[in-house]
Amino acid sequence: MANNVPITVAHGDGIGPEIMDATLHILKEAGARLDIETIEIGEKVYNSGNTAGIAPESWESLRRTKVFLKAPITTPQGGGFKSLNVTVRKTLGMYANVRPCVSYHPFVKTKNPVMDVVIVRENEEDTYGGIEHRQTDMVEQCLKLISRPGCEKIVRYAFEYAKKNNRKKVTCFVKDNIMKQTDGLFAKVFNEIAPEYSGIENESWIVDIGAAKLVDTPENFDVIVMPNLYGDILSDVTAQMTGSVGLAGSANIGEAVSMFEAIHGSAPRRAGQNKANPSGLFLGAIMMLVHIGQQDIATLAHNAWLKTIEDGIHTYDIAREGTTKETVGTKEFGEAVVARLGQKPETLKTVEYKVIEESGETATKPLYNQPIQAKKDLVGLDVFIHWWNGKFFGAADELGPLVERVNGDGVKLVMISSRGTKVYPGGQPDTFCVDHWRCRFMSDTDGGTLTKQQVISLLGRFEENGLDFIKTEHLYNFDGKAGYALGQGQ
Ligand code: NAD
């Protein structure tokens, strides 16, 4: 008999304790081999003055067990409190958020009867770094950071997930026609890694039309990998398309620690009424069992759950006339699943989780590689300034000559843009401008490079000329290739 696996459990807030009790009851009766350490997170911890919502000693439990089964928590309203989910995910490097979204037609009402889609969302990067600044009276900025190892990790994970779960296709959603560098890198890494998985079909869509197709014909999708923001939005959309967000579980996978949960929140208004559906957390727990190598228990419990849904034993949220035979409470739903352990669904697809022995050819490849260091040449500087003459149109014709004054020392102005669109020289009178301007400088010899000293003296001339610079971005060539985008219209 295999040893018990230590896991950390948090019962959470609102409906959390009830759905966790029901979930743990099923796992126990199914024979899950677990040693449970319980930690406190959420409302109580926040209210004790800890703005992170998790006590320092709880981190130790997570680092020790490396597996976290977490019920939803209530994030107190008002400023100062940090999202515990984001804190835990980012602190422990949980780079992949995995959400299987399955329709249980005809037993759960849905507009999309044929649907079995897994969203693999990048979980650490993109605009979710929260690196934001107010730059002028009119303009706020959020930095979108995408790294090569970050892309390699998530894309590799998506293909390995597809391989291990006998999935046929991985689709990539990006907006690389607009964000040619950030989303462009994501797409490039996808195209590099995809050919390594010859048995798995791959395709890419621009996220807007891809999302439209996903909503229209979900049956054509299998695994979909995407950057953080698109994944955040589309994983909720996809879960809702199955008929209820209350039915979806979620895994947050890290290299060391992983976390499993329901995708819904703590539903405080339903708390303490024995009404909530424990299925989302339960299906999160099934992913946990597979993660820790208890495929046998996962198969047993998941099939019993499918049979329960098929038998029309439903909690209030999915109960409908015609499909529901009995509306039950949280506890009774858990009992109904336990009573069906050993049974399989008749109409819905039976699940079977297999242990995959990895060796030789089939071994998992390294998640990411060391960066190759390129030759980096400084070829220009974007100087952002705060300047306003009261005009939303045509102001650049006045600003241009003022900025031309700082030319010199081998550096010259080549363009001014407003929110990315070129407005000087030769701008259009119809371009709407605000008080935030990017002034692009390059060497005055064709293809020449700049020194940091030239940059410093250029900024000195901005100051001497009373131009309020608020930020700079260096323009680099990497191995001779431009590492910066042109202005729109440049
Ligand atoms: P919610 O998901 O808690 O509830 C949305 C709606 O779905 C409600 O009508 C609720 O009754 C229903 N619902 C949710 N889960 C259900 C279940 N298992 N069974 C039956 N009905 C269910 O979202 P919310 O109301 O926006 O948020 C409530 C709290 O949860 C907030 O404090 C929020 O910050 C927090 N939250 C936590 C997590 C998490 O811990 N992972 C995720 C989302 C929201």
Side-chain angles (χ1 to χ4, degrees):
M1 194 64 167
N3 288 341
N4 280 2
V5 176
I7 66 166
T8 302
V9 166
H11 289 255
D13 303 316
I15 59 170
E18 298 158 61
I19 61 174
M20 183 60 87
D21 284 347
T23 297
L24 291 178
H25 178 58
I26 304 169
L27 297 195
K28 181 163 175 282
E29 294 301 316
R33 301 173 290 275
L34 304 172
D35 281 334
I36 293 174
E37 291 185 13
T38 304
I39 61 167
E40 190 79 64
I41 55 162
E43 227 172 359
K44 261 197 229 147
V45 184
Y46 282 118
N47 292 339
S48 73
N50 180 327
T51 55
I54 176 165
E57 56 275 19
S58 299
W59 290 110
E60 284 162 33
S61 172
L62 294 176
R63 288 202 185 89
R64 192 166 45 241
T65 67
K66 304 187 178 4
V67 181
F68 187 18
L69 181 62
K70 176 186 151 293
I73 59 149
T74 303
T75 313
Q77 302 272 315
F81 298 106
K82 296 195 195 88
S83 156
L84 178 84
N85 265 338
V86 177
T87 304
V88 172
R89 279 178 200 160
K90 292 199 68 167
T91 307
L92 298 176
M94 297 176 187
Y95 61 91
N97 181 222
V98 186
R99 286 188 184 184
C101 301
V102 183
S103 285
Y104 304 101
H105 175 81
F107 306 101
V108 176
K109 198 165 179 291
T110 167
K111 292 178 187 142
N112 303 281
V114 187
M115 184 172 164
D116 183 359
V117 176
V118 181
I119 305 288
V120 178
R121 163 191 171 193
E122 197 289 317
N123 223 6
E124 293 180 294
E125 306 199 328
D126 200 344
T127 46
Y128 283 57
I131 309 174
E132 296 194 298
H133 300 93
R134 180 166 176 177
Q135 300 203 314
T136 65
D137 290 322
M138 297 183 198
V139 174
E140 311 271 349
Q141 169 188 270
C142 173
L143 274 189
K144 169 159 170 147
L145 296 177
I146 301 277
S147 76
R148 176 169 265 278
C151 295
E152 289 177 3
K153 276 200 278 190
I154 193 68
V155 172
R156 175 77 63 198
Y157 182 86
F159 278 98
E160 287 292 327
Y161 179 93
K163 188 174 87 179
K164 290 189 182 122
N165 291 278
N166 202 20
R167 296 273 174 168
K168 307 286 178 248
K169 181 165 82 173
V170 180
T171 304
C172 175
F173 278 4
V174 278
K175 190 78 186 169
D176 61 339
N177 55 334
I178 302 295
M179 283 157 280
K180 294 186 184 351
Q181 296 199 214
T182 47
D183 283 26
L185 176 59
F186 197 97
K188 187 167 189 279
V189 169
F190 182 82
N191 291 330
E192 284 168 9
I193 290 178
E196 294 179 32
Y197 295 83
S198 53
I200 300 168
E201 198 188 326
N202 71 81
E203 63 174 8
S204 294
W205 289 104
I206 302 291
V207 59
D208 40 15
I209 187 62
K213 282 176 179 289
L214 170 64
V215 170
D216 189 46
T217 47
E219 62 274 21
N220 291 344
F221 290 88
D222 196 339
V223 175
I224 315 179
V225 63
M226 57 191 113
N228 206 338
L229 176 61
Y230 316 140
D232 191 2
I233 299 165
L234 290 178
S235 57
D236 267 28
V237 171
T238 315
Q240 185 66 39
M241 284 165 62
T242 66
S244 169
V245 278
L247 288 179
S250 155
N252 293 274
I253 305 292
E255 285 183 81
V257 186
S258 297
M259 174 168 83
F260 302 85
E261 59 183 341
I263 73 166
H264 61 72
S266 59
R269 275 182 304 164
R270 297 280 171 208
Q273 298 165 23
N274 188 39
K275 276 193 150 181
N277 188 348
S279 298
L281 183 62
F282 169 77
L283 291 174
I286 293 290
M287 296 167 87
M288 176 190 79
L289 290 174
V290 174
H291 179 79
I292 61 177
Q294 299 190 13
Q295 280 81 354
D296 51 342
I297 312 296
T299 302
L300 182 72
H302 199 162
N303 283 324
W305 179 84
L306 287 166
K307 181 78 168 94
T308 308
I309 296 291
E310 203 176 84
D311 284 349
I313 313 293
H314 296 163
T315 42
Y316 82 96
D317 56 314
I318 58 166
R320 297 285 182 283
E321 213 170 302
T323 52
T324 302
K325 299 222 169 60
E326 196 185 340
T327 305
V328 295
T330 313
K331 197 164 183 285
E332 293 70 29
F333 182 85
E335 293 295 358
V337 178
V338 168
R340 286 165 179 76
L341 287 168
Q343 299 182 33
K344 288 181 174 168
E346 282 151 30
T347 307
L348 294 171
K349 208 169 126 210
T350 305
V351 292
E352 192 178 357
Y353 297 104
K354 292 209 177 91
V355 181
I356 297 165
E357 296 296 339
E358 294 193 6
S359 62
E361 275 286 285
T362 61
T364 308
K365 305 239 170 61
L367 267 179
Y368 45 89
N369 297 299
Q370 287 292 326
I372 300 159
Q373 286 194 339
K375 182 173 175 293
K376 198 174 91 181
D377 295 311
L378 181 63
V379 296
L381 189 74
D382 279 347
V383 182
F384 290 77
I385 62 171
H386 181 182
W387 183 84
W388 183 238
N389 69 348
K391 295 181 193 156
F392 288 104
F393 295 95
D397 292 336
E398 190 179 321
L399 176 62
L402 299 178
V403 180
E404 299 272 12
R405 286 197 212 151
V406 306
N407 284 345
D409 189 25
V411 180
K412 69 162 195 255
L413 178 74
V414 294
M415 165 191 79
I416 299 176
S417 70
S418 169
R419 290 168 304 145
T421 304
K422 186 185 129 186
V423 290
Y424 181 88
Q428 303 282 347
D430 306 313
T431 308
F432 184 85
C433 296
V434 291
D435 60 353
H436 184 270
W437 309 85
R438 173 180 61 167
C439 309
R440 173 160 291 182
F441 290 84
M442 310 283 287
S443 165
D444 62 8
T445 56
D446 232 13
T449 57
L450 301 183
T451 63
K452 291 271 170 69
Q453 199 52 52
Q454 280 172 297
V455 169
I456 292 164
S457 67
L458 175 65
L459 293 179
R461 294 195 297 280
F462 267 88
E463 183 65 1
E464 284 158 22
N465 282 276
L467 291 167
D468 180 13
F469 65 90
I470 50 169
K471 115 182 187 125
T472 60
E473 291 284 353
H474 290 186
L475 310 184
Y476 285 111
N477 282 355
F478 288 83
D479 287 336
K481 208 165 154 246
Y484 53 92
L486 293 180
Q488 282 150 358
Q490 191 185 359

